[in-house]
Amino acid sequence: MKVVLIGDPHVRVRGERVRGIDSAGRLDTCVARINAIAGDADLCVVMGDNVDVPSEAAYRTFLDGLRPLRMPVRCLLGNHDDRAIFRTVQPDLPCDEHGFVQSTIETDACVLVFLDTHKPGSEAGEYCARRLSWFRRTLREAGRKPVYVFMHHPPFRTGFFIDHAGLEAPEALVRAMTDAGTVRHVFAGHTHRAASGCWNGLAWSTLHGIAYQNDFELLPAKPNYRGGPAQIGVLLLDGGESVLHFQDSLEPYPCIAYSGRSLREPGPA
Ligand SMILES: [Fe+2]
């Protein structure tokens, strides 16, 4: 299974900029790049902060920007989002029984689980008892299949400034994951930085945003922002195996054509 990840697009209505960046234009560039390099993907996941300042107009700009994608899309909610407005512009958005934007995609080989960590009015995220009960039930229903979890707020420490606004009180969520024994890899947005690690025996990854980046400054520094590189993640899942590739979508560098024999071509050793 091939899954494209887009981090933190922070789309604003056309003509408005975020930190000097035309984020709607960035999404256009990113979508064209995805179709060019991974148009055969099975799914695209937008890792939250879909818009910068929530309004119906901003969400329509965001959804219009995604429309050219050749694969289905699943969106998380971030701290910059608004659950009610997002649901208003997408009445058929998959949600759990309490109205949280949580859902699953199950294949023969694995289960993808999309969590809603949005906490209204807060930069940090939360995962309340009602959401947790849905997650525990979902893990039970997944049986022994490998599970991949997608969420905006990291429940793990990254060493970046964003840790001050990660997922509040993540212990119960962590326990649900480790109790199940089937969660293989956790993917998060929010950091605007690519990083990976292992926490509680689980692999985790984050990626750059496509609108702007946090510069490389570890805690306790507060980083400046950078206008790039915008980044696409291409995640390959095969049963219990996961590989995440990173590709800059702005591509400011010249492509150097390989002039030798392809390593895949048969020939003398
Ligand atoms: Fe963000």
Side-chain angles (χ1 to χ4, degrees):
M1 185 178 196
K2 184 183 289 183
V3 180
V4 172
L5 306 182
I6 300 177
D8 291 71
H10 284 256
V11 167
R12 287 198 176 210
V13 294
R14 304 237 174 233
E16 287 188 10
R17 289 174 173 265
V18 50
R19 306 191 195 285
I21 299 293
D22 169 14
S23 52
R26 280 285 176 94
L27 181 62
D28 295 339
T29 304
C30 175
V31 163
R33 191 90 180 111
I34 290 170
N35 282 339
I37 67 168
D40 62 342
D42 302 290
L43 178 72
C44 175
V45 182
V46 186
M47 301 299 293
D49 282 359
N50 306 315
V51 298
D52 193 55
V53 179
S55 68
E56 289 194 20
Y59 278 121
R60 292 194 199 290
T61 304
F62 167 68
L63 295 171
D64 285 347
L66 293 175
R67 199 149 289 133
L69 282 174
R70 296 192 192 130
M71 69 288 300
V73 178
R74 200 59 65 108
C75 299
L76 306 178
L77 285 183
N79 47 298
H80 280 256
D81 290 301
D82 183 294
R83 188 180 294 117
I85 301 175
F86 195 46
R87 292 193 61 188
T88 298
V89 297
Q90 290 188 100
D92 56 351
L93 190 68
C95 293
D96 70 13
E97 67 270 26
H98 301 296
F100 293 110
V101 184
Q102 303 200 116
S103 61
T104 62
I105 292 178
E106 182 168 2
T107 73
D108 289 342
C110 64
V111 180
L112 312 186
V113 182
F114 308 94
L115 303 186
D116 179 344
T117 58
H118 177 69
K119 179 181 183 182
S122 168
E123 194 179 346
E126 67 177 359
Y127 205 65
C128 61
R130 287 190 298 172
R131 281 173 270 195
L132 185 62
S133 114
W134 174 89
F135 183 54
R136 281 194 174 276
R137 190 178 75 231
T138 297
L139 290 172
R140 280 196 302 275
E141 290 171 356
R144 299 315 302 164
K145 284 185 179 178
V147 172
Y148 300 96
V149 175
F150 302 80
M151 55 198 298
H152 181 74
H153 293 86
F156 40 80
R157 286 194 306 275
T158 65
F160 295 126
F161 184 76
I162 204 73
D163 284 355
H164 81 282
L167 188 75
E168 294 176 349
E171 296 79 10
L173 177 66
V174 175
R175 206 171 311 118
M177 291 182 184
T178 52
D179 285 353
T182 49
V183 177
R184 294 284 183 269
H185 203 141
V186 178
F187 303 91
H190 199 40
T191 60
H192 293 240
R193 288 282 327 171
S196 66
C198 182
W199 144 95
N200 288 285
L202 304 170
W204 63 260
S205 299
T206 67
L207 70 168
H208 288 326
I210 62 165
Y212 60 88
Q213 269 47 258
N214 282 325
D215 208 352
F216 181 72
E217 294 268 8
L218 295 177
L219 283 170
K222 170 146 184 18
N224 293 316
Y225 299 109
R226 280 194 183 274
Q231 194 174 62
I232 297 163
V234 180
L235 171 63
L236 306 177
L237 300 177
D238 184 6
E241 294 184 13
S242 56
V243 179
L244 180 58
H245 293 269
F246 300 96
Q247 173 64 43
D248 296 347
S249 66
L250 297 179
E251 200 64 285
Y253 315 108
C255 184
I256 302 171
Y258 178 61
S259 56
R261 178 171 58 84
S262 165
L263 293 176
R264 276 180 287 182
E265 287 175 10

